[in-house]
C-alpha cells in the first residue's frame, strides 16, 4: 500500500485469509463464513481459472467483506482484478511494470519483498507497507525482528508458511500489522464445503490480535 493511501490493509484484521477457489459456486458461501467468523477480509489468489469470476461474485453478493486479489504476477492481472471488483491487490514480488500497473488501478496494494534490498527499493518508491513472502522460507519472524531497527519505516504482512502455531510470533513484532494465512481455508474443508469448520477457524484466527505473543488455547 502506498503512503498516499489513508486506509491501511495491515490494521483491519490480524489474519488475512489467503484463499484458492477451484469452484466458483464456493465463493459466496466461503466469504460469508469468513465474515461470520470475524474476518471480513479475503485475499483470493489468481491461481485458478475461476478466480476472476469468484471475485466478481463476492464483490456483488457479499458487500460486507473486503475482497482482494492475490498472486498478482503480471500487469494485466492487476487490471482484470480491478475490473472484477477487487478492492485491493497483493503481489508475491515487485517489478517496475507490476508496481506501475497496480498503482494505475487506484487500489491499495501490497507488493512482495523477501530481502532488505527489496524493502529499501520499495521505500524509495514511496511504499511503507509490504507483503513479506515467502515468510518462513525467507527467514521468518527472526528476519523481520532483525531488520526492524535499521529499517523502521517498513511494515509487513508476512505470508507463506504461516500457521496457527507461529502466527502469534509474527503478530508480536512491532513491524508486523497482520499475517496472511491459508490454514483458515484448508483444501479438505473447501472440497467438502465445510463452511461451519471454516467459520470456526476464522473465529479462532480473529482472536490472535487480542493477545499478541500467544496462541489461543
Amino acid at each position: 500500500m502506498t503512503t498516499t493511501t489513508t486506509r491501511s490493509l495491515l490494521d483491519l484484521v490480524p489474519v488475512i485469509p489467503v484463499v484458492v477457489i477451484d469452484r466458483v459456486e464456493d465463493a459466496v458461501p466461503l466469504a460469508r463464513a469468513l465474515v461470520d467468523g470475524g474476518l471480513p477480509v479475503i485475499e483470493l489468489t489468481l491461481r485458478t481459472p475461476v478466480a476472476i469470476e469468484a471475485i466478481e461474485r463476492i464483490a456483488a453478493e457479499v458487500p460486507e467483506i473486503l475482497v482482494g486479489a492475490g498472486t498478482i504476477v503480471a500487469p494485466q492481472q492487476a487490471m482484470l482484478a480491478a475490473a472484477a471488483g477487487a478492492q485491493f491487490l497483493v503481489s508475491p514480488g515487485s517489478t517496475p511494470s507490476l508496481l506501475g500497473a497496480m498503482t494505475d488501478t487506484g487500489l491499495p496494494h501490497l507488493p512482495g519483498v523477501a530481502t532488505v534490498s527489496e524493502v529499501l527499493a520499495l521505500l524509495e518508491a514511496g511504499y511503507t507497507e509490504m507483503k513479506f513472502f515467502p515468510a518462513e522460507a525467507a527467514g521468518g519472524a527472526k528476519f523481520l525482528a532483525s531488520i526492524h531497527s535499521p529499517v523502521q519505516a517498513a511494515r509487513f504482512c508476512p505470508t507463506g508458511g504461516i500457521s496457527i502455531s507461529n502466527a502469534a510470533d509474527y503478530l508480536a513484532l512491532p513491524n508486523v500489522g497482520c499475517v496472511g494465512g491459508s490454514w483458515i481455508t484448508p483444501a479438505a474443508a473447501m472440497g467438502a464445503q465445510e463452511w461451519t469448520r471454516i467459520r470456526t477457524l476464522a473465529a479462532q484466527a480473529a482472536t490472535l490480535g487480542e493477545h499478541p505473543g500467544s496462541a489461543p488455547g
Side-chain angles (χ1 to χ4, degrees):
M1 175 177 285
T2 63
T3 54
T4 57
T5 304
T6 57
R7 190 181 189 190
S8 173
L9 293 173
L10 272 60
D11 297 323
L12 299 177
V13 291
V15 183
I16 296 178
V18 180
V19 180
V20 177
I21 288 184
D22 293 304
R23 298 175 303 211
V24 71
E25 61 267 24
D26 292 342
V28 168
L30 168 64
R32 288 175 176 156
L34 294 175
V35 170
D36 290 344
L39 293 180
V41 182
I42 181 173
E43 178 190 330
L44 206 159
T45 60
L46 303 187
R47 301 180 190 178
T48 66
V50 304
I52 290 294
E53 185 180 354
I55 289 172
E56 291 176 340
R57 292 200 183 185
I58 292 172
E61 299 184 42
V62 194
E64 57 269 41
I65 199 168
L66 189 74
V67 57
T71 321
I72 303 289
V73 296
Q76 60 269 29
Q77 289 181 315
M79 306 304 177
L80 287 171
Q87 295 164 283
F88 67 92
L89 307 172
V90 184
S91 64
S94 57
T95 66
S97 60
L98 190 58
L99 290 176
M102 291 193 293
T103 299
D104 287 345
T105 66
L107 296 175
H109 50 281
L110 292 172
V113 296
T115 69
V116 175
S117 293
E118 292 170 354
V119 172
L120 295 178
L122 284 182
L123 286 172
E124 289 181 1
Y127 291 84
T128 58
E129 298 185 350
M130 313 164 193
K131 171 176 177 170
F132 176 50
F133 176 84
E136 282 292 282
K142 289 183 178 180
F143 174 86
L144 291 179
S146 68
I147 70 169
H148 173 60
S149 180
V151 194
Q152 294 186 23
R155 296 179 72 223
F156 302 94
C157 172
T159 304
I162 311 294
S163 67
I164 189 65
S165 64
N166 62 10
D169 295 335
Y170 286 92
L171 291 169
L173 299 176
N175 54 351
V176 169
C178 66
V179 300
S182 59
W183 85 85
I184 300 163
T185 58
M190 290 290 293
Q193 299 179 317
E194 294 177 341
W195 311 127
T196 299
R197 180 186 175 195
I198 289 173
R199 183 173 65 247
T200 299
L201 290 171
Q204 183 185 38
T207 68
L208 286 171
E210 299 174 3
H211 306 287
S214 62

